[in-house]
Amino acid sequence: MSNSKKDPSSQTESRSLSEITYAPLTRRSFLKFGAAAATTYTGVSLALSPLKNFKEHLSLDEFLQQHYERLTPEKMQKIVARIEKEIARDYGVTAQVKDIKPVPGVEYAFALNIGKCIGCRRCVYGCMKENNTSRDPEIQYIRVLEMGKGSQNVEESEHYYTHDAVPQKDKYYMPVQCQQCKKAPCAKACPIRATWQEPDGIIVVDYNWCIGCRYCMAACPYWARRFNFSKPAIPKEEINTEMAYLGNRIRPRGVVEKCTFCLRRVRQGMQPACVEVCPTGSRMFGNVRDPESPINYILNNKRVYIFKEEAGTIPRFYYCFDV
Amino acid sequence: MRRRSFLYTVLPLVSGFILLVCISAGRAGDDASLPTSPEFIRLPHDWLDTTPIRGTPKLIYYLNKFMYECKVCHADLKVPTYECEKNLNVPGTFHMPFGAHKDMAFNHGLNMRCFNCHNCSNLGTYINFDGSEIPGDKPVLLCRKCHGVTYRDWQAGIHGRTNGYWDASRGKQAKLDCNQCHNPHQPHFPRLVPRPSPAAARTKLSEKGSRHE
């Protein structure tokens, strides 16, 4: 505060605050300014109040988490414990999340006999139960196409068929899911390597690394990938509490997910869920490096084709038929 | 005069009626020529239900929730299979008022002779080509008599479902028997009720979704 009221046009002497603000600091101006400041402060803090809950969406540990391929077992333990806590907080179930490593010397392949598939969609729902996909909005990894006899006209296939009983006359059914391609365009398109091919052939997604840009979804020719537009909503009693970090744990909002050949099951030697529930037995799964496996029997003895072979993706999913 | 009135009134009416019947029969909605068994088309509530379509049936006769061994009505004939028909006056039967075996449908293609599979000397077992017995709890040994290619596929694990473990060294693999999926008298795999269509075409989740709901 200056000690005297000087001429404002004078440049050489320091000016008081009141002179600089072009208003004398009176009680009135203080109250005006104070009211404006209080309103602004209230408005800004109200607007920023959702950030109070930010810790629920992204904790500091998760923000600083490394890529899966760089994690040590100790770090993995902490991460898994944190994920279990978050699932318990959000869904009210005690989950068991494990990091299951691939079995060495094993490469998976899937075969599906479209002569036997009747289009009952039990595989679709068995997969949902096993993999904890969101029920609302509904995410299904497998899409069964109802196609007319005589050609493979996918553009005119029916995705949303509803009948009293299947199969319908002159139709055949082709379920499509992630083909775990050897030359996967999705893994190539990911800008940050949030999705990559594991040594046993499964294309996996690190849900904590994925930024949700959906380049992989654009790249996939089979429409195999799904995006979580909102937080998955699953009824508590339908949650499968045995989860794997790269597989069927409940995903956060804003990440991409897809069929992982039931990674949690197959890396422990079990059949995938869709194979277990198929009533006709048209799905077959196995280790393609084992000459005695059913997959090799099919590749050697049955007529086998690959979906969208011209895309050059070299899938591990083989469609076969009996004649 | 009379002839002409018949020609112009009754004949067109009758022929029109016949034509209408033919057209409406040809337009029957869902094709019903494939077999549909009502007891098979229930939807399991549990989405991971792995029960086979026909459960685990036994070689026994079911009537009104009771089970009867074949011997209860039919005495063993103790003749070779090729003489079964000659001796088939079913000794030892007492009258079943409702017509036993009337509820069964038989549609096994050219296999229309009961004693191709059933052993009249020992009902409760099956018969082989050389007249030897096949145990009643091993239907696969019976079906492979004619369905060799399917049997070979079944042995390799690609006909019918394999439950359990793909890696036999880490757990058990469970293969199904033929009659757990196929009704031996009507073996075509039954039609099933499909699970609901994907949600984009449904306004609310329901057991039987419809796009126009």
PDB file of all heavy atoms in Angstrom, chain A residues 169-189:
ATOM      1  N   LYS A 169     -34.761 -76.115 -41.717  1.00  0.00           N
ATOM      2  CA  LYS A 169     -34.531 -76.815 -42.974  1.00  0.00           C
ATOM      3  C   LYS A 169     -33.710 -75.952 -43.912  1.00  0.00           C
ATOM      4  O   LYS A 169     -33.907 -74.744 -44.003  1.00  0.00           O
ATOM      5  CB  LYS A 169     -35.895 -77.108 -43.624  1.00  0.00           C
ATOM      6  CG  LYS A 169     -35.804 -78.041 -44.790  1.00  0.00           C
ATOM      7  CD  LYS A 169     -37.195 -78.478 -45.203  1.00  0.00           C
ATOM      8  CE  LYS A 169     -37.231 -79.011 -46.609  1.00  0.00           C
ATOM      9  NZ  LYS A 169     -36.518 -80.272 -46.771  1.00  0.00           N
ATOM     10  N   ASP A 170     -32.759 -76.565 -44.604  1.00  0.00           N
ATOM     11  CA  ASP A 170     -31.931 -75.901 -45.615  1.00  0.00           C
ATOM     12  C   ASP A 170     -31.074 -74.785 -45.053  1.00  0.00           C
ATOM     13  O   ASP A 170     -30.704 -73.853 -45.755  1.00  0.00           O
ATOM     14  CB  ASP A 170     -32.793 -75.330 -46.761  1.00  0.00           C
ATOM     15  CG  ASP A 170     -33.298 -76.435 -47.662  1.00  0.00           C
ATOM     16  OD1 ASP A 170     -32.698 -77.533 -47.618  1.00  0.00           O
ATOM     17  OD2 ASP A 170     -34.279 -76.219 -48.387  1.00  0.00           O
ATOM     18  N   LYS A 171     -30.762 -74.844 -43.785  1.00  0.00           N
ATOM     19  CA  LYS A 171     -29.840 -73.875 -43.207  1.00  0.00           C
ATOM     20  C   LYS A 171     -28.700 -74.634 -42.576  1.00  0.00           C
ATOM     21  O   LYS A 171     -28.893 -75.757 -42.088  1.00  0.00           O
ATOM     22  CB  LYS A 171     -30.520 -73.056 -42.104  1.00  0.00           C
ATOM     23  CG  LYS A 171     -31.739 -72.314 -42.539  1.00  0.00           C
ATOM     24  CD  LYS A 171     -31.374 -71.007 -43.140  1.00  0.00           C
ATOM     25  CE  LYS A 171     -32.619 -70.181 -43.429  1.00  0.00           C
ATOM     26  NZ  LYS A 171     -32.400 -69.260 -44.526  1.00  0.00           N
ATOM     27  N   TYR A 172     -27.541 -74.009 -42.540  1.00  0.00           N
ATOM     28  CA  TYR A 172     -26.483 -74.562 -41.719  1.00  0.00           C
ATOM     29  C   TYR A 172     -25.932 -73.456 -40.836  1.00  0.00           C
ATOM     30  O   TYR A 172     -26.123 -72.278 -41.098  1.00  0.00           O
ATOM     31  CB  TYR A 172     -25.413 -75.256 -42.567  1.00  0.00           C
ATOM     32  CG  TYR A 172     -24.498 -74.355 -43.354  1.00  0.00           C
ATOM     33  CD1 TYR A 172     -23.255 -73.986 -42.860  1.00  0.00           C
ATOM     34  CD2 TYR A 172     -24.836 -73.909 -44.625  1.00  0.00           C
ATOM     35  CE1 TYR A 172     -22.400 -73.186 -43.588  1.00  0.00           C
ATOM     36  CE2 TYR A 172     -23.994 -73.110 -45.355  1.00  0.00           C
ATOM     37  CZ  TYR A 172     -22.773 -72.760 -44.832  1.00  0.00           C
ATOM     38  OH  TYR A 172     -21.920 -71.960 -45.560  1.00  0.00           O
ATOM     39  N   TYR A 173     -25.242 -73.857 -39.779  1.00  0.00           N
ATOM     40  CA  TYR A 173     -24.873 -72.911 -38.733  1.00  0.00           C
ATOM     41  C   TYR A 173     -23.376 -72.874 -38.562  1.00  0.00           C
ATOM     42  O   TYR A 173     -22.710 -73.911 -38.520  1.00  0.00           O
ATOM     43  CB  TYR A 173     -25.558 -73.300 -37.406  1.00  0.00           C
ATOM     44  CG  TYR A 173     -27.049 -73.238 -37.525  1.00  0.00           C
ATOM     45  CD1 TYR A 173     -27.770 -74.343 -37.968  1.00  0.00           C
ATOM     46  CD2 TYR A 173     -27.747 -72.066 -37.267  1.00  0.00           C
ATOM     47  CE1 TYR A 173     -29.140 -74.281 -38.125  1.00  0.00           C
ATOM     48  CE2 TYR A 173     -29.109 -71.997 -37.417  1.00  0.00           C
ATOM     49  CZ  TYR A 173     -29.805 -73.104 -37.848  1.00  0.00           C
ATOM     50  OH  TYR A 173     -31.158 -73.029 -38.011  1.00  0.00           O
ATOM     51  N   MET A 174     -22.839 -71.669 -38.471  1.00  0.00           N
ATOM     52  CA  MET A 174     -21.392 -71.512 -38.357  1.00  0.00           C
ATOM     53  C   MET A 174     -21.095 -70.549 -37.219  1.00  0.00           C
ATOM     54  O   MET A 174     -21.270 -69.346 -37.355  1.00  0.00           O
ATOM     55  CB  MET A 174     -20.843 -70.947 -39.675  1.00  0.00           C
ATOM     56  CG  MET A 174     -19.368 -71.034 -39.759  1.00  0.00           C
ATOM     57  SD  MET A 174     -18.787 -70.776 -41.421  1.00  0.00           S
ATOM     58  CE  MET A 174     -18.013 -69.213 -41.234  1.00  0.00           C
ATOM     59  N   PRO A 175     -20.653 -71.054 -36.084  1.00  0.00           N
ATOM     60  CA  PRO A 175     -20.252 -70.142 -35.007  1.00  0.00           C
ATOM     61  C   PRO A 175     -18.893 -69.522 -35.319  1.00  0.00           C
ATOM     62  O   PRO A 175     -17.992 -70.198 -35.805  1.00  0.00           O
ATOM     63  CB  PRO A 175     -20.160 -71.055 -33.783  1.00  0.00           C
ATOM     64  CG  PRO A 175     -20.760 -72.347 -34.187  1.00  0.00           C
ATOM     65  CD  PRO A 175     -20.638 -72.438 -35.661  1.00  0.00           C
ATOM     66  N   VAL A 176     -18.779 -68.221 -35.027  1.00  0.00           N
ATOM     67  CA  VAL A 176     -17.520 -67.520 -35.261  1.00  0.00           C
ATOM     68  C   VAL A 176     -17.058 -66.892 -33.958  1.00  0.00           C
ATOM     69  O   VAL A 176     -17.853 -66.291 -33.237  1.00  0.00           O
ATOM     70  CB  VAL A 176     -17.699 -66.421 -36.344  1.00  0.00           C
ATOM     71  CG1 VAL A 176     -16.396 -65.702 -36.575  1.00  0.00           C
ATOM     72  CG2 VAL A 176     -18.174 -67.031 -37.636  1.00  0.00           C
ATOM     73  N   GLN A 177     -15.785 -67.060 -33.643  1.00  0.00           N
ATOM     74  CA  GLN A 177     -15.209 -66.412 -32.467  1.00  0.00           C
ATOM     75  C   GLN A 177     -13.780 -66.047 -32.850  1.00  0.00           C
ATOM     76  O   GLN A 177     -13.387 -66.202 -34.004  1.00  0.00           O
ATOM     77  CB  GLN A 177     -15.242 -67.359 -31.276  1.00  0.00           C
ATOM     78  CG  GLN A 177     -14.423 -68.609 -31.496  1.00  0.00           C
ATOM     79  CD  GLN A 177     -14.952 -69.795 -30.707  1.00  0.00           C
ATOM     80  OE1 GLN A 177     -16.019 -70.308 -30.986  1.00  0.00           O
ATOM     81  NE2 GLN A 177     -14.179 -70.232 -29.747  1.00  0.00           N
ATOM     82  N   CYS A 178     -13.007 -65.600 -31.887  1.00  0.00           N
ATOM     83  CA  CYS A 178     -11.628 -65.227 -32.193  1.00  0.00           C
ATOM     84  C   CYS A 178     -10.887 -66.444 -32.723  1.00  0.00           C
ATOM     85  O   CYS A 178     -10.930 -67.518 -32.135  1.00  0.00           O
ATOM     86  CB  CYS A 178     -10.923 -64.705 -30.952  1.00  0.00           C
ATOM     87  SG  CYS A 178      -9.173 -64.385 -31.229  1.00  0.00           S
ATOM     88  N   GLN A 179     -10.223 -66.250 -33.865  1.00  0.00           N
ATOM     89  CA  GLN A 179      -9.576 -67.384 -34.509  1.00  0.00           C
ATOM     90  C   GLN A 179      -8.125 -67.571 -34.056  1.00  0.00           C
ATOM     91  O   GLN A 179      -7.454 -68.489 -34.520  1.00  0.00           O
ATOM     92  CB  GLN A 179      -9.598 -67.185 -36.031  1.00  0.00           C
ATOM     93  CG  GLN A 179     -10.925 -66.702 -36.564  1.00  0.00           C
ATOM     94  CD  GLN A 179     -11.839 -67.833 -36.971  1.00  0.00           C
ATOM     95  OE1 GLN A 179     -11.526 -68.602 -37.870  1.00  0.00           O
ATOM     96  NE2 GLN A 179     -12.961 -67.953 -36.318  1.00  0.00           N
ATOM     97  N   GLN A 180      -7.664 -66.692 -33.158  1.00  0.00           N
ATOM     98  CA  GLN A 180      -6.286 -66.756 -32.651  1.00  0.00           C
ATOM     99  C   GLN A 180      -5.304 -66.935 -33.816  1.00  0.00           C
ATOM    100  O   GLN A 180      -4.561 -67.903 -33.907  1.00  0.00           O
ATOM    101  CB  GLN A 180      -6.107 -67.917 -31.644  1.00  0.00           C
ATOM    102  CG  GLN A 180      -7.240 -68.123 -30.687  1.00  0.00           C
ATOM    103  CD  GLN A 180      -7.336 -67.087 -29.587  1.00  0.00           C
ATOM    104  OE1 GLN A 180      -6.492 -66.204 -29.492  1.00  0.00           O
ATOM    105  NE2 GLN A 180      -8.384 -67.162 -28.785  1.00  0.00           N
ATOM    106  N   CYS A 181      -5.309 -65.977 -34.703  1.00  0.00           N
ATOM    107  CA  CYS A 181      -4.571 -66.116 -35.953  1.00  0.00           C
ATOM    108  C   CYS A 181      -3.071 -66.142 -35.717  1.00  0.00           C
ATOM    109  O   CYS A 181      -2.547 -65.472 -34.830  1.00  0.00           O
ATOM    110  CB  CYS A 181      -4.883 -64.946 -36.869  1.00  0.00           C
ATOM    111  SG  CYS A 181      -6.642 -64.641 -37.059  1.00  0.00           S
ATOM    112  N   LYS A 182      -2.383 -66.873 -36.575  1.00  0.00           N
ATOM    113  CA  LYS A 182      -0.922 -66.890 -36.485  1.00  0.00           C
ATOM    114  C   LYS A 182      -0.355 -65.554 -36.954  1.00  0.00           C
ATOM    115  O   LYS A 182       0.661 -65.090 -36.467  1.00  0.00           O
ATOM    116  CB  LYS A 182      -0.373 -68.020 -37.352  1.00  0.00           C
ATOM    117  CG  LYS A 182      -0.638 -69.370 -36.758  1.00  0.00           C
ATOM    118  CD  LYS A 182       0.019 -70.494 -37.511  1.00  0.00           C
ATOM    119  CE  LYS A 182      -0.498 -71.824 -36.966  1.00  0.00           C
ATOM    120  NZ  LYS A 182      -0.566 -72.883 -37.935  1.00  0.00           N
ATOM    121  N   LYS A 183      -1.019 -64.972 -37.972  1.00  0.00           N
ATOM    122  CA  LYS A 183      -0.565 -63.649 -38.420  1.00  0.00           C
ATOM    123  C   LYS A 183      -1.682 -62.679 -38.076  1.00  0.00           C
ATOM    124  O   LYS A 183      -2.417 -62.222 -38.944  1.00  0.00           O
ATOM    125  CB  LYS A 183      -0.367 -63.661 -39.939  1.00  0.00           C
ATOM    126  CG  LYS A 183       0.905 -64.249 -40.413  1.00  0.00           C
ATOM    127  CD  LYS A 183       1.094 -63.925 -41.876  1.00  0.00           C
ATOM    128  CE  LYS A 183       2.444 -64.370 -42.357  1.00  0.00           C
ATOM    129  NZ  LYS A 183       2.589 -64.068 -43.785  1.00  0.00           N
ATOM    130  N   ALA A 184      -1.804 -62.384 -36.788  1.00  0.00           N
ATOM    131  CA  ALA A 184      -2.980 -61.652 -36.325  1.00  0.00           C
ATOM    132  C   ALA A 184      -2.900 -60.192 -36.700  1.00  0.00           C
ATOM    133  O   ALA A 184      -1.965 -59.497 -36.298  1.00  0.00           O
ATOM    134  CB  ALA A 184      -3.083 -61.788 -34.815  1.00  0.00           C
ATOM    135  N   PRO A 185      -3.875 -59.688 -37.452  1.00  0.00           N
ATOM    136  CA  PRO A 185      -3.859 -58.256 -37.768  1.00  0.00           C
ATOM    137  C   PRO A 185      -4.121 -57.383 -36.542  1.00  0.00           C
ATOM    138  O   PRO A 185      -3.680 -56.235 -36.481  1.00  0.00           O
ATOM    139  CB  PRO A 185      -4.987 -58.092 -38.804  1.00  0.00           C
ATOM    140  CG  PRO A 185      -5.750 -59.342 -38.792  1.00  0.00           C
ATOM    141  CD  PRO A 185      -4.970 -60.401 -38.128  1.00  0.00           C
ATOM    142  N   CYS A 186      -4.823 -57.940 -35.548  1.00  0.00           N
ATOM    143  CA  CYS A 186      -5.118 -57.133 -34.361  1.00  0.00           C
ATOM    144  C   CYS A 186      -3.859 -56.854 -33.566  1.00  0.00           C
ATOM    145  O   CYS A 186      -3.625 -55.722 -33.129  1.00  0.00           O
ATOM    146  CB  CYS A 186      -6.140 -57.860 -33.488  1.00  0.00           C
ATOM    147  SG  CYS A 186      -5.631 -59.492 -32.935  1.00  0.00           S
ATOM    148  N   ALA A 187      -3.019 -57.867 -33.402  1.00  0.00           N
ATOM    149  CA  ALA A 187      -1.791 -57.664 -32.636  1.00  0.00           C
ATOM    150  C   ALA A 187      -0.865 -56.710 -33.366  1.00  0.00           C
ATOM    151  O   ALA A 187      -0.117 -55.945 -32.749  1.00  0.00           O
ATOM    152  CB  ALA A 187      -1.101 -59.006 -32.401  1.00  0.00           C
ATOM    153  N   LYS A 188      -0.940 -56.758 -34.696  1.00  0.00           N
ATOM    154  CA  LYS A 188      -0.088 -55.855 -35.477  1.00  0.00           C
ATOM    155  C   LYS A 188      -0.584 -54.418 -35.379  1.00  0.00           C
ATOM    156  O   LYS A 188       0.201 -53.474 -35.389  1.00  0.00           O
ATOM    157  CB  LYS A 188      -0.127 -56.320 -36.935  1.00  0.00           C
ATOM    158  CG  LYS A 188       0.950 -55.773 -37.782  1.00  0.00           C
ATOM    159  CD  LYS A 188       0.953 -56.502 -39.128  1.00  0.00           C
ATOM    160  CE  LYS A 188       1.881 -55.759 -40.071  1.00  0.00           C
ATOM    161  NZ  LYS A 188       1.743 -56.193 -41.441  1.00  0.00           N
ATOM    162  N   ALA A 189      -1.930 -54.255 -35.269  1.00  0.00           N
ATOM    163  CA  ALA A 189      -2.497 -52.908 -35.289  1.00  0.00           C
ATOM    164  C   ALA A 189      -2.404 -52.206 -33.947  1.00  0.00           C
ATOM    165  O   ALA A 189      -2.495 -50.977 -33.893  1.00  0.00           O
ATOM    166  CB  ALA A 189      -3.962 -52.976 -35.722  1.00  0.00           C
TER     167      ALA A 189
END
